[in-house]
Amino acid sequence: MATRAGWPANSASRPAFATGRANAPSSAWRAIIAFMGLATIDILILLPIVLPVLGVVFGLFVGVLAAFVAGGFILIAGPFSGFPGGALIAILLGLGTMSAAVGVAALLTIFGIGIVNALMWFGRLHYRVLEPAIHSED
């Protein structure tokens, strides 16, 4: 059959669909078992690591927002409330607190982007495992 279709006699040079091995049930089972192994790694190893990290990052974002609001309060109310050191110190302290909050938020954003990129890379591993089973009919 392969020689009549123009394929060389060497079976190693023939594509998988010409040999009938692409749609083999064993390849589907291998993909399913590999995906189940990755899902097990996700649940047992990755999930307990990622969820606390995301919780800490979210908590730090809430803290940064609170520091920014507190800096604005110091900036606006400090000069009128008899702040120790005078009005100029209150304004500078408010601006400093707000700028520190913006800087920490920027660093947290960069860290969050890194987390998302790492999770996307890990998700692509799942696709690489399933890709041969998905495209086996082509």
Side-chain angles (χ1 to χ4, degrees):
M1 163 94 177
T3 57
R4 281 186 279 164
W7 297 106
N10 185 3
S11 65
S13 63
R14 284 186 260 162
F17 65 87
T19 62
R21 289 187 303 244
N23 294 330
S26 64
S27 64
W29 276 112
R30 269 188 244 137
I32 290 170
I33 290 172
F35 185 72
M36 287 173 50
L38 280 175
T40 304
I41 290 172
D42 289 347
I43 293 171
L44 295 178
I45 296 173
L46 187 68
L47 197 62
I49 294 172
V50 170
L51 287 181
V53 169
L54 291 178
V56 167
V57 169
F58 179 73
L60 288 175
F61 268 119
V62 170
V64 163
L65 181 65
F68 187 81
V69 170
F73 181 76
I74 293 171
L75 176 70
I76 294 171
F80 303 111
S81 64
F83 198 80
L88 183 62
I89 299 297
I91 292 171
L92 291 176
L93 182 65
L95 286 175
T97 305
M98 292 173 73
S99 64
V102 169
V104 171
L107 291 175
L108 282 173
T109 302
I110 291 171
F111 183 71
I113 289 171
I115 290 173
V116 169
N117 287 339
L119 289 175
M120 293 301 295
W121 172 79
F122 194 76
R124 285 187 194 111
L125 289 178
H126 291 64
Y127 181 73
R128 286 183 198 156
V129 168
L130 291 178
E131 187 176 20
I134 292 171
H135 297 297
S136 66
E137 297 175 8
D138 292 344

